[in-house]
Amino acid sequence: MIEKYINIDENFDIEVELDIDEDVQTYPWLFSLFIGSEISDEIKSEIIEIVEKKPFIKYVGMRLIDGWSELYFYSLNSKNIQNEIHSYLQQNSFKFESGVVKDTKWEFYQGNLQPSELEFFMIESQKIVAMLKEEGDDITKEREVEHYVMFDTQTQMQRFVENAKTIGFEFKDEISSDECEYGVAVVKTHNLLYKTLYENIQELNELASKEHGYYELWSTTLVEK
């Protein structure tokens, strides 16, 4: 499953493959391909197809930084990975660089492609926003938004609620799930723009973490244009 998101700390675009087979995760070689322009989805697909013609190599993601398209693959072997793709890029007059390094523990993938917890929340939030926009929602309009947080104990939950009130949230209801008995819905009136969602989710996630809880996204009602 390919996910696209924005790197929160440095504000550049990332595409990452999240569903990677266990055998692929044993591939020890990282092949990096840097192209000196923003490439189309069609060109990207052609590049991936050419590289993956080699046996035991898998595309894992891409970053778009300062006008450069950085594509990343993991491979079982380090030899002859670059030949065919170099020929393709030269024939099409692309400016490019490439390299192969050993990364047995997949440290680059985990540290530079895999979304952080907060980035994952924003990925899922943008999916909700996209569905609302398809229904005609004006995401710039403020409305009551419910945010959900789960805890191991009632005491943790109660401390969280009191802290959440200090940053503008109100208690709505206690909730539970099969995995967790103690949960809470807190509400706040705000719009659904990226910056607004990010700020509110970040604040709640930090408060939840202090009480060893975990944030579980949000829901809201449709506001038509």
Side-chain angles (χ1 to χ4, degrees):
M1 176 177 62
I2 295 286
E3 293 284 7
K4 296 182 179 182
Y5 68 99
I6 300 172
N7 176 280
I8 288 174
D9 295 326
E10 300 181 56
N11 196 33
F12 54 78
D13 293 333
I14 296 180
E15 175 180 285
V16 62
E17 173 64 65
L18 293 179
D19 293 335
I20 299 176
D21 293 341
E22 289 186 7
D23 60 333
V24 173
Q25 294 178 37
T26 65
Y27 293 179
W29 295 97
L30 173 66
F31 171 46
S32 308
L33 180 62
F34 299 166
I35 301 171
S37 63
E38 183 174 351
I39 59 175
S40 66
D41 288 341
E42 181 180 359
I43 294 296
K44 181 187 69 178
S45 296
E46 289 181 12
I47 291 172
I48 293 172
E49 183 178 354
I50 291 169
V51 175
E52 289 189 338
K53 282 181 180 178
K54 295 284 185 182
F56 308 111
I57 188 166
K58 175 66 177 176
Y59 170 73
V60 296
M62 183 179 81
R63 306 192 304 179
L64 182 60
I65 304 178
D66 296 331
W68 282 75
S69 300
E70 305 178 357
L71 285 78
Y72 297 95
F73 304 79
Y74 277 90
S75 176
L76 186 62
N77 303 297
S78 62
K79 295 181 179 179
N80 303 319
I81 296 175
Q82 306 172 68
N83 297 347
E84 289 185 30
I85 193 58
H86 280 195
S87 177
Y88 167 84
L89 294 170
Q90 289 166 351
Q91 290 172 10
N92 289 277
S93 302
F94 282 105
K95 176 184 177 181
F96 69 92
E97 300 174 4
S98 69
V100 182
V101 297
K102 200 160 192 178
D103 185 17
T104 307
K105 296 182 179 180
W106 281 48
E107 291 178 351
F108 182 86
Y109 174 87
Q110 294 170 9
N112 298 278
L113 294 176
Q114 196 171 47
S116 67
E117 183 178 56
L118 188 53
E119 285 165 342
F120 175 78
F121 293 145
M122 295 309 300
I123 290 172
E124 296 304 309
S125 292
Q126 291 310 296
K127 292 178 182 178
I128 300 172
V129 169
M131 289 189 291
L132 290 170
K133 289 171 72 174
E134 287 180 2
E135 296 295 324
D137 195 304
D138 182 354
I139 66 168
T140 67
K141 290 186 176 180
E142 294 190 344
R143 82 290 305 277
E144 188 176 272
V145 181
E146 292 188 17
H147 295 261
Y148 309 107
V149 189
M150 309 302 291
F151 299 91
D152 293 328
T153 71
Q154 189 172 31
T155 301
Q156 292 169 342
M157 180 185 70
Q158 291 171 340
R159 283 198 299 257
F160 166 81
V161 170
E162 291 306 310
N163 290 328
K165 288 178 179 178
T166 67
I167 56 172
F169 289 87
E170 297 179 3
F171 170 80
K172 177 69 176 288
D173 197 8
E174 291 188 13
I175 59 176
S176 63
S177 66
D178 292 339
E179 294 79 23
C180 187
E181 182 179 354
Y182 304 104
V184 64
V186 293
V187 298
K188 188 177 183 181
T189 298
H190 60 74
N191 62 49
L192 302 181
L193 295 173
Y194 187 95
K195 183 175 183 292
T196 305
L197 285 170
Y198 168 72
E199 290 173 350
N200 283 285
I201 291 172
Q202 181 186 42
E203 287 182 325
L204 287 178
N205 189 50
E206 288 177 354
L207 289 182
S209 297
K210 289 178 181 178
E211 300 298 337
H212 306 288
Y214 50 96
Y215 180 76
E216 284 202 341
L217 288 177
W218 53 272
S219 68
T220 191
T221 54
L222 187 68
V223 176
E224 296 183 358
K225 294 182 180 180

